[in-house]
Amino acid sequence: MELALEILPQVLLDGLVLGFMYALIALGYTMVYGVLEFINFAHSEIFVLGAFVGVEVLLWLQDAGHLAVLHPGFVLLLVIVAGMAISGLAAMALERVAYRPLRGSPRLVALISAIGASFFLQDGLRLFESLWRNTFYLNYPTLDVLDQTLPLASNLVVPVKSLLVIATALLSLAGLHFFVNRTRVGAAIRAVAQDPETASLMGIPVNRVIALTFFVGGAMGGLAGVLFGLHYSLVNPYSGFAPGIKAFTAAVLGGIGNIPGAMLGGMVLGLLEAFAGSYLSILTDGAFGAEYKDVFAFVVLIAILIFRPKGLLGETVREGRA
Amino acid sequence: MNTLLQVTGLHVHYGAIEAVKGIDLSLAQGRITALLGANGAGKSTTLLTLSGLVRASEGSIDFDGVELRELAPHQIVSHGVVQVPEGREILTTLTVRENLLLGGYRRHDNIAADFKNVLEWFPRLNERLDGAAGNLSGGEQQMLAIARALMAQPRLLVLDEPSMGLAPLLVREIFKILRELNAGGLTIFLVEQNARQALKIAHHAYVMENGKLVLSAPAADMLNNSKVVEAYLGA
């Protein structure tokens, strides 16, 4: 038991880092569901694309000899902005090419298109990196500042990269919340989510608002990708699968279409996973190890959805305030 | 009398079904025109086509020299044709204020003055500005729908069944407001099943039956000719 308490702060920290990552990715699923009522299964590849943009920018800076000279804060900002912009644009392009022409056809058709787009992006990245670098397993160059730690207490050592994830995620989640709830364009997104026909009769350009929603959701996914790469270092074109499925689950857990729900769902899932990873073997005396963490997390999830089928906060984009 | 909107030879299909079978109608500037008819006559389809939500298969819609037929709904709003859809269709999850402000989405000029104006027209909304629009009563929602449309600075206000589901007192209040808006120079196109009420405020009326216009006459004549009203409107 002593050990259990001893590691608690560290487990919480790991859970938060994971949770914010899932929350950022989950936003992309939930925002697109909000406006189109459809699951963009290629979103996990938009996330990976962000991670690859991040590593490419860093490698480029390194090869050019800038990485050691430039201020690390500037480098991080550059990497994050590039990852967000390119992922956002890619999500917009995806909508234009793979989803918009299918609007109005049965939802299953768009879903198949999303799965196809997902394969296309995965293998496109693989092809590109294979030709460009002869390998599609890439390592983030180390940034010294990220590898430093802050020893806050004897049992809590906070890596700077964890702080980076938490601070960046908090900032962008707050920014997104402000954008969606306090700006004219944000109100237009909520209007389209509730009723696209009425929104168009009010003069809201529905297609442009949907494209913008993809951009914002994609940018959040790209940000998560960059943070994922900075935190865990290794990326490959298939890295998106597990985080993508989990973030999608987080979105459902929070109530699909519901923006605060996605944040909450991501956090719950991240913490569950971190707790299970560290405590399962302690609590079961070694019968179940950390490898059961996903099983445990999903069992809890299923239990929650049995009692709250619409998720923790419900599908409130359509029914309540987002 | 200037013609503000001229519809010529309009046909609309839903798949193989022809809902509007070649109609011609014109709306006079500064007047209230009513389009009457039973359920399923094609009235709402006609309005949806004017607003760009439904595509015409044939014909033209000329609005003060601009062809609307191929334009997207938001572009049509920019030209000044603004519809209050059937069933009030306000955005229930947004606040009353957000509904009103989004009504002026296409405008880039200062909309604060109009915001104040519509609240003078509909003082009841003033008290509920920051509440969810879904909590308004049916009558208040209809007022919000009209107020929201006014925020777009319409040159032609199109209303689809504004009296639907409302108590007689509220219907009278809403029609009174429509008449006052018209007195201020606004051109109004009104679809109604409540024929008598509509004919009382309209200058001209059309009657639609099975996708065709079967009658076009000054509203007063139609109101006085009880046979017409009985035959076509069952009222």
Side-chain angles (χ1 to χ4, degrees):
Chain A
M1 236 344 120
E2 252 170 58
L3 175 67
L5 280 179
E6 180 72 17
I7 61 170
L8 184 62
Q10 205 69 49
V11 172
L12 267 175
L13 180 72
D14 291 346
L16 278 180
V17 169
L18 259 184
F20 274 118
M21 212 97 78
Y22 291 155
L24 283 177
I25 309 171
L27 282 170
Y29 287 106
T30 230
M31 287 183 74
V32 164
Y33 185 87
V35 291
L36 289 182
E37 285 187 82
F38 132 89
I39 302 298
N40 175 14
F41 270 114
H43 186 60
S44 47
E45 278 54 59
I46 298 294
F47 156 79
V48 168
L49 181 65
F52 270 89
V53 171
V55 76
E56 282 297 340
V57 170
L58 284 174
L59 287 172
W60 170 67
L61 287 175
Q62 193 179 43
D63 295 345
H66 297 315
L67 200 55
V69 199
L70 288 170
H71 188 279
F74 174 75
V75 171
L76 288 175
L77 188 70
L78 185 71
V79 173
I80 285 171
V81 169
M84 288 179 82
I86 292 186
S87 283
L89 291 175
M92 256 170 91
L94 188 66
E95 189 270 331
R96 188 69 192 81
V97 175
Y99 305 147
R100 195 183 299 180
L102 299 174
R103 218 179 290 157
S105 47
R107 215 152 292 162
L108 218 62
V109 176
L111 192 74
I112 300 297
S113 183
I115 293 171
S118 169
F119 283 127
F120 175 82
L121 287 170
Q122 278 176 1
D123 292 326
L125 264 177
R126 175 173 165 162
L127 177 69
F128 175 81
E129 292 298 351
S130 301
L131 293 173
W132 177 244
R133 298 205 180 268
N134 276 323
T135 174
F136 51 87
Y137 288 87
L138 296 185
N139 246 312
Y140 267 64
T142 44
L143 285 173
D144 290 340
V145 59
L146 289 185
D147 288 328
Q148 287 164 14
T149 54
L150 304 172
L152 283 191
S154 64
N155 60 347
L156 180 62
V157 176
V158 182
V160 169
K161 56 186 175 188
S162 300
L163 281 184
L164 175 79
V165 172
I166 293 173
T168 316
L170 265 178
L171 226 116
S172 50
L173 293 179
L176 182 78
H177 188 76
F178 177 84
F179 171 69
V180 172
N181 288 305
R182 292 278 175 274
T183 67
R184 204 171 73 103
V185 179
I189 290 180
R190 283 180 289 134
V192 171
Q194 196 198 333
D195 183 345
E197 289 209 343
T198 299
S200 71
L201 287 181
M202 294 165 72
I204 294 171
V206 172
N207 278 337
R208 235 175 292 162
V209 168
I210 288 173
L212 178 75
T213 306
F214 270 83
F215 178 82
V216 173
M220 290 289 162
L223 171 63
V226 172
L227 294 176
F228 176 89
L230 289 170
H231 199 272
Y232 302 108
S233 293
L234 193 66
V235 291
N236 73 65
Y238 308 101
S239 301
F241 180 73
I245 287 288
K246 285 178 186 166
F248 168 59
T249 312
V252 174
L253 175 66
I256 187 89
N258 181 321
I259 290 173
M263 301 182 194
L264 179 68
M267 211 50 73
V268 169
L269 193 62
L271 286 169
L272 269 177
E273 204 181 308
F275 271 90
S278 300
Y279 284 108
L280 269 181
S281 87
I282 299 177
L283 297 180
T284 61
D285 225 357
F288 292 100
E291 65 272 20
Y292 281 92
K293 66 180 174 117
D294 288 347
V295 176
F296 177 78
F298 278 88
V299 165
V300 173
L301 220 84
I302 291 166
I304 292 175
L305 288 178
I306 286 173
F307 292 105
R308 291 193 67 96
K310 288 197 155 185
L312 291 170
L313 300 186
E315 282 181 48
T316 49
V317 158
R318 267 146 218 279
E319 286 150 25
R321 285 203 58 178
Chain B
M1 187 60 58
N2 283 332
T3 298
L4 184 61
L5 183 114
Q6 177 69 50
V7 171
T8 315
L10 191 74
H11 292 259
V12 184
H13 288 81
Y14 290 120
I17 298 162
E18 190 171 24
V20 176
K21 302 169 182 168
I23 61 169
D24 300 305
L25 63 80
S26 61
L27 305 182
Q29 172 105 45
R31 294 300 178 94
I32 300 180
T33 308
L35 179 59
L36 311 173
N39 247 338
K43 307 186 303 290
S44 289
T45 303
T46 305
L47 289 203
L48 292 176
T49 311
L50 291 188
S51 287
L53 279 177
V54 171
R55 289 274 161 234
S57 31
E58 221 179 288
S60 79
I61 304 167
D62 180 295
F63 178 70
D64 205 16
V66 180
E67 175 58 51
L68 300 184
R69 205 185 121 184
E70 299 294 328
L71 297 183
H74 67 272
Q75 294 169 319
I76 292 175
V77 172
S78 295
H79 282 290
V81 179
V82 183
Q83 181 168 167
V84 179
E86 189 180 355
R88 306 190 266 282
E89 299 306 332
I90 55 159
L91 299 166
T92 51
T93 62
L94 276 62
T95 64
V96 172
R97 185 192 302 274
E98 285 172 334
N99 267 276
L100 289 173
L101 291 179
L102 281 178
Y105 193 81
R106 297 302 289 171
R107 296 173 51 194
H108 299 288
D109 50 344
N110 185 9
I111 61 175
D114 277 335
F115 188 72
K116 229 180 104 204
N117 277 341
V118 299
L119 288 178
E120 271 165 28
W121 282 103
F122 302 99
R124 284 205 226 176
L125 299 178
N126 218 344
E127 301 148 27
R128 319 288 295 269
L129 271 181
D130 292 305
N135 294 339
L136 298 179
S137 70
E140 288 165 341
Q141 291 193 6
Q142 184 64 65
M143 290 178 190
L144 175 58
I146 296 173
R148 184 184 69 191
L150 293 177
M151 288 296 292
Q153 265 189 337
R155 295 168 62 204
L156 168 63
L157 183 67
V158 179
L159 299 106
D160 197 352
E161 306 269 2
S163 75
M164 195 168 69
L166 295 185
L169 206 66
L170 277 168
V171 174
R172 233 172 292 156
E173 193 175 337
I174 284 180
F175 275 77
K176 185 169 152 269
I177 290 169
L178 291 181
R179 202 203 293 253
E180 285 169 17
L181 286 169
N182 173 250
L186 183 63
T187 310
I188 293 178
F189 188 32
L190 178 66
V191 156
E192 262 299 339
Q193 287 196 57
N194 190 339
R196 278 181 197 284
Q197 195 67 251
L199 287 173
K200 272 188 214 159
I201 67 163
H203 301 95
H204 193 89
Y206 292 94
V207 176
M208 199 166 187
E209 206 177 58
N210 290 325
K212 287 184 180 150
L213 292 180
V214 290
L215 193 65
S216 164
D221 294 1
M222 234 187 255
L223 198 57
N224 293 332
N225 190 340
S226 57
K227 272 193 186 149
V228 169
V229 176
E230 271 165 40
Y232 289 114
L233 309 170

